[in-house]
């Protein structure tokens, strides 16, 4: 899992929530609706299964982490707050 | 016991139901499916599980009561037999109750996509003109939807409080359902009355409603129970949403057999690892989905750590399953039998094929099941008189079956074009699928493609003209066409080629606008700006030439 040649994270932890919200709003959201940290992205239909894959890729790149497919579960991705908390448990590469 | 189906003028065939005790007392309509008396007579325990969604489980008694209460609320709210009732619910125990409640009320069920843009949903619903709407949408969505539809009855079964948006007529929330005395199942409806309408996008972008009757839905359920030997001990995973015709398997075939259903919540569907975990924990025995979801399970579901030994059938359909992925999946679930299901929503299902290792290059769609007759005819002549082609030759597939729709909702023109009588079989109604097939020497049919511009992405039907039209409406787009990339063993992708006015197109903004207008599966994966599009001799955009230009290899 740990790599030494990977680029450093391009989003600082403090900026992760606003940057992730901005990314979801611009590149993933399936309709116009203000997103907050606690917004349920799945039951509102804002994010579909391809959207989840896009978000995982973005988090891996921006936070320089590797996300195990087995960790891509509902409890980690229902809201932006949950995603940020989950990424916080990962060790940057 | 043997049940006779008849269709056309004087044809009939027998369908065997020797193995299924719950089906021994065959209902006449799908309103007779969740009927405690029938189920008990078939040996089904009424205290046993009927429907679950991971959070809640209802026994058959509870399911029947909840369906009956909601049916009462609908009737008291003015719903009459033949009226359309739109269901706009995310997947749960409640959505299954709502479907059967609409049917028990004698009304026509119209499932809407609860996760699609409101504008797309409103266009579908407006065509069906429902008198009532059953919804669990938030006020932000409910408001615009009810403003568009103005239903005289709004039912919100998952909410204790009336919604603050959406009231144009009578409103009934969860408390009203709880308080209602249940309407009992009545199997005495006319079997030829409409039961549900499933919508598909027409080629002009105008939604097209496929009308199924009680008789056609029940004929499908019977044939499915018979072919897959469904029984009360089965536990189905419902993967498909209500507005996708695959869900008719769990909605009607499962209760006919007295089998229970796990309704997989929409949120879980987005997470293959969660989906695999739920299927394992709930000891699912029958699975039916598009290949896309099974491929996702294989790649990201962590199947090595999941015990899927309870699965006895894995059905897949809607599009081709890449053989390498299918072979890998079959190794992961060695005890299960697999079935490639083929059939347009107009007939639900008409062929099946059971793949066995080692697999061929492509999985055929197989041969007719007991409820269908097939004929392959020349695609170059009108379907009614087109010559039957020889085995091994490509032709259009025509289907005659009691599972066939009665027609397209209020579209006599489309119905007449799709359902034809042939000079060689007077009195028999044949559905012209528009699908090109070829019969192999071993008798199995191979799917070759479409005779029009309909394509499938993740199992969903897409008319490419509708995507073209959405692109052309975007600012700065002068000409546009959409082509399909079919990577070897991978998922189909839509690629848009556009000619822009002046400056370069803002791809992200354009894709964002399309996501808000089209269902997500119809949004192109990529937009490529080109100086011009190839045209045919008549000046129309030449989609095939554009595809050759855009897709290499």
């Amino acid at each position: 899992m740990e790599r030494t040649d990977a680029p450093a994270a391009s989003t600082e932890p403090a900026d992760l929530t606003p940057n992730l919200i901005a990314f979801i709003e611009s590149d993933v959201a399936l309709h116009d609706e203000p997103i907050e940290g606690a917004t349920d992205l799945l039951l509102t239909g804002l994010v579909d299964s391809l959207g989840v894959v896009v978000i995982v890729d973005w988090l891996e790149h921006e936070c320089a982490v590797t996300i195990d497919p087995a960790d891509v579960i509902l409890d980690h991705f229902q809201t932006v707050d949950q995603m940020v908390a989950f990424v916080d448990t990962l060790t940057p590469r | 016991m043997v049940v006779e189906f008849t269709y056309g003028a004087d044809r009939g065939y027998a369908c065997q139901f020797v193995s299924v005790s719950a089906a021994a007392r065959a209902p006449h309509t799908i309103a007779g499916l969740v009927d405690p008396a029938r189920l008990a007579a078939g040996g089904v325990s009424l205290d046993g599980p009927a429907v679950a969604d991971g959070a809640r489980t209802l026994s058959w008694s509870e399911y029947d009561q909840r369906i009956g209460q909601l049916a009462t609320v609908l009737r008291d709210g003015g719903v009459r037999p033949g009226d359309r009732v739109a269901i706009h619910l995310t997947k749960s125990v409640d959505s299954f109750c709502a479907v059967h409640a609409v049917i028990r009320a004698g009304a026509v069920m119209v499932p809407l996509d609860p996760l699609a843009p409101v504008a797309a949903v409103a266009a579908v619903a407006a065509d069906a003109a429902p008198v009532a709407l059953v919804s669990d949408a938030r006020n932000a969505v409910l408001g615009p939807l009810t403003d568009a539809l103005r239903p005289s009855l709004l039912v919100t079964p998952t909410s204790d409080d009336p919604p603050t948006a959406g009231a144009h007529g009578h409103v009934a929330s969860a408390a009203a359902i709880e308080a209602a005395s249940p309407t009992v199942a009545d199997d005495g409806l006319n079997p030829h009355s409409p039961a549900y309408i499933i919508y598909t996008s027409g080629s002009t972008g105008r939604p097209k409603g496929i009308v199924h009757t009680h008789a056609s839905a029940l004929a499908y359920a019977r044939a499915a129970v018979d072919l897959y030997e469904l029984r009360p001990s089965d536990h189905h995973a419902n993967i498909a949403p209500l507005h996708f015709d695959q869900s008719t398997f769990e909605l009607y075939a499962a209760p006919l057999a007295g089998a229970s259903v796990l309704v997989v919540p929409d949120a879980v569907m987005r997470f293959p690892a969660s989906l695999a975990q739920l299927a394992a924990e709930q000891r699912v025995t029958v699975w039916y989905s598009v290949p896309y979801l099974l491929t996702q399970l294989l790649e990201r579901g962590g199947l090595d750590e999941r015990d899927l030994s309870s699965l006895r059938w894995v059905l897949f359909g809607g599009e081709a399953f890449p053989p390498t992925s299918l072979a890998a999946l079959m190794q992961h679930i060695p005890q299960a039998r697999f079935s490639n299901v083929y059939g347009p929503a107009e007939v639900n299902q008409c062929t099946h094929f059971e793949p066995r290792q080692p697999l061929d290059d492509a999985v055929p769609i197989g041969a007719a099941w007991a409820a269908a007759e097939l004929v392959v005819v020349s695609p170059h002549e009108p379907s009614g008189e087109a010559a039957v082609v020889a085995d091994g030759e490509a032709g259009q597939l025509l289907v005659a079956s009691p599972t066939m729709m009665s027609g397209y909702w209020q579209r006599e023109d489309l119905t007449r074009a799709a359902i034809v009588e042939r000079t060689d079989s007077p009195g028999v109604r044949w559905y012209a699928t528009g699908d090109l097939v070829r019969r192999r020497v071993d008798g199995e049919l191979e799917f070759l493609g479409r005779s029009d511009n309909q394509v499938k992405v993740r199992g969903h039907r897409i008319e490419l003209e509708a995507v073209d039209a959405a692109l052309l409406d975007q600012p700065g787009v002068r000409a546009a066409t959409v082509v399909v990339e079919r990577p070897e063993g991978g998922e189909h992708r839509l690629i848009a080629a556009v000619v822009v006015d002046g400056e370069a197109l803002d791809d992200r903004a354009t894709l964002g606008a399309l996501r808000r207008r089209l269902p997500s599966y119809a949004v192109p994966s990529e937009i490529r700006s080109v100086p011009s599009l190839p045209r045919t001799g008549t000046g129309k955009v030449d989609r095939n030439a554009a595809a050759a230009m855009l897709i290499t290899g």
Side-chain angles (χ1 to χ4, degrees), chain A residues 22-33 40-50 52-53 56 69-78, chain B residues 90 114-117 138 140-141 266-274 277 292 296 299-302 305-306 458 508 512 515-518 520-521 523:
Chain A
F23 171 71
I24 293 172
E25 285 180 340
S26 68
D27 281 47
V28 181
L30 297 171
H31 41 258
D32 288 310
E33 192 171 326
D40 187 322
L41 301 172
L42 305 167
L43 287 182
T44 50
L46 279 162
V47 174
D48 70 358
S49 55
L50 289 184
V52 172
V53 175
V56 168
D71 282 333
V72 183
I73 56 173
L74 185 57
D75 293 347
H76 292 158
F77 285 85
Q78 197 142 6
Chain B
T90 50
L115 304 177
R138 295 153 300 122
V141 172
D266 295 282
V268 174
M269 301 281 300
R270 290 160 181 68
F271 298 94
S274 300
Q277 185 181 3
Y292 170 77
Q296 292 288 302
E299 291 173 356
R300 307 195 284 123
E305 295 156 36
R306 299 291 167 215
R458 287 180 268 149
R508 277 173 67 172
R515 279 200 304 272
R516 286 156 176 78
R517 169 157 167 183
L518 297 167
S520 61
Y521 52 81
V523 176

Side-chain angles (χ1 to χ4, degrees), chain B residues 273-525:
Chain B
S274 300
L275 185 54
Q277 185 181 3
L278 188 62
E281 282 172 3
Q282 295 266 335
R283 307 297 294 164
V284 165
T285 67
V286 185
W287 174 287
Y288 184 19
S289 77
V290 290
Y292 170 77
L293 268 162
L294 288 164
T295 306
Q296 292 288 302
L297 273 192
L298 185 67
E299 291 173 356
R300 307 195 284 123
L303 291 188
D304 286 335
E305 295 156 36
R306 299 291 167 215
D307 174 12
L308 295 176
S309 60
S310 56
L311 271 175
R312 65 180 198 90
W313 272 115
V314 176
L315 279 62
F316 58 90
E319 62 187 348
F321 205 145
T324 47
S325 298
L326 175 56
L329 186 69
M330 290 172 76
Q331 277 175 357
H332 269 284
I333 317 174
Q335 82 289 347
R337 294 170 71 184
F338 286 68
S339 184
N340 185 15
V341 173
Y342 162 83
E346 285 83 347
V347 298
N348 271 322
Q349 178 169 353
C350 56
T351 75
H352 67 109
F353 178 80
E354 185 170 352
R356 289 192 169 85
Q357 303 268 32
L359 295 176
D360 293 336
D361 292 343
V363 182
I365 58 173
W369 73 352
E373 282 192 34
L374 310 178
V375 62
V376 184
V377 302
S378 164
H380 308 297
E381 304 160 62
S383 314
E385 58 236 46
V388 175
V389 302
D391 287 357
E393 282 182 27
Q396 185 191 186
L397 181 67
L398 308 187
V399 186
S401 172
T403 68
M404 190 195 298
M405 66 170 181
S406 57
Y408 296 108
W409 176 248
Q410 296 186 334
R411 296 299 297 272
E412 269 303 311
D413 53 335
L414 295 178
T415 304
R416 271 198 303 277
I419 300 180
V420 298
E421 214 176 302
R422 284 178 54 77
T423 44
D424 60 4
S425 50
V428 179
R429 297 166 80 233
W430 294 91
Y431 170 63
T433 62
D435 285 340
L436 297 176
V437 302
R438 174 170 55 211
R439 199 182 301 276
R440 305 195 312 199
V441 284
D442 60 5
E444 309 289 357
L445 293 171
E446 273 179 345
F447 180 82
L448 302 175
R450 290 286 300 172
S451 58
D452 60 15
N453 281 323
Q454 186 195 100
V455 298
K456 288 209 171 177
V457 172
R458 287 180 268 149
H460 296 276
R461 274 157 67 156
I462 300 172
E463 310 273 355
L464 293 178
E465 290 91 341
V467 186
D468 294 350
L471 273 164
L472 284 169
D473 283 348
Q474 302 309 314
V477 174
R478 180 143 49 97
T481 193
V482 178
V483 302
V484 187
E485 185 181 47
R486 299 177 168 88
E488 187 79 28
E491 292 300 322
H492 293 185
R493 297 169 77 234
L494 296 182
I495 299 175
V498 297
V499 180
V500 295
D501 277 323
E503 294 168 31
L505 193 71
D506 182 344
D507 290 3
R508 277 173 67 172
T510 305
L511 287 174
L514 293 178
R515 279 200 304 272
R516 286 156 176 78
R517 169 157 167 183
L518 297 167
S520 61
Y521 52 81
V523 176
S525 302

Side-chain angles (χ1 to χ4, degrees), chain A:
Chain A
M1 295 265 277
E2 305 246 338
R3 288 195 221 153
T4 50
D5 57 342
S10 42
T11 286
E12 294 299 319
D15 299 331
L16 182 55
T17 297
N19 286 4
L20 179 53
I21 287 175
F23 171 71
I24 293 172
E25 285 180 340
S26 68
D27 281 47
V28 181
L30 297 171
H31 41 258
D32 288 310
E33 192 171 326
I35 296 175
E36 293 172 8
T39 304
D40 187 322
L41 301 172
L42 305 167
L43 287 182
T44 50
L46 279 162
V47 174
D48 70 358
S49 55
L50 289 184
V52 172
V53 175
V54 172
I55 291 171
V56 168
D57 285 350
W58 186 89
L59 286 171
E60 288 193 324
H61 180 261
E62 292 289 316
C63 306
V65 293
T66 301
I67 296 176
D68 187 328
D71 282 333
V72 183
I73 56 173
L74 185 57
D75 293 347
H76 292 158
F77 285 85
Q78 197 142 6
T79 66
V80 167
D81 287 347
Q82 284 177 350
M83 294 179 208
V84 171
F86 166 62
V87 168
D88 203 39
T89 66
L90 303 175
T91 315
R93 302 190 284 251

